[in-house]
Amino acid sequence: MQVVERRVQVRVPLEPSRRDWPTLLGELTRQLDDGRIYDRDLPGLSRALQPVLEAYRRRACRTGAPDVR
């Protein structure tokens, strides 16, 4: 019997930081525009984006940041 030991690296995605969001949202925009996100996925995306927009609007109202519609 032979015991073989080998290291395996598993990539774990990092949690996005505040600086990552503009790039990530830009990539989402590109994928929506070029059809890489299927129509069947749009309702789920809408449900996920709604709380994000609501949170942004609450914060923007307090800070004077531009509103989005």
Side-chain angles (χ1 to χ4, degrees):
M1 177 185 288
Q2 181 182 9
V3 177
V4 177
E5 185 175 321
R6 136 179 91 176
R7 291 181 183 218
V8 177
Q9 290 186 338
V10 178
R11 298 185 86 169
V12 178
L14 299 175
E15 194 170 298
S17 73
R18 63 183 172 84
R19 291 185 180 113
D20 297 325
W21 287 111
T23 301
L24 291 170
L25 291 171
E27 179 59 28
L28 176 59
T29 300
R30 285 186 289 283
Q31 289 187 23
L32 281 164
D33 284 342
D34 65 20
R36 286 185 280 164
I37 296 186
Y38 296 121
D39 290 347
R40 67 176 178 254
D41 297 323
L42 293 178
L45 185 58
S46 174
R47 287 189 297 275
L49 286 172
Q50 193 60 41
V52 173
L53 287 172
E54 290 170 3
Y56 176 87
R57 287 181 184 128
R58 284 191 302 271
R59 181 82 178 265
C61 185
R62 291 193 315 260
T63 65
D67 191 15
V68 291
R69 292 283 163 210

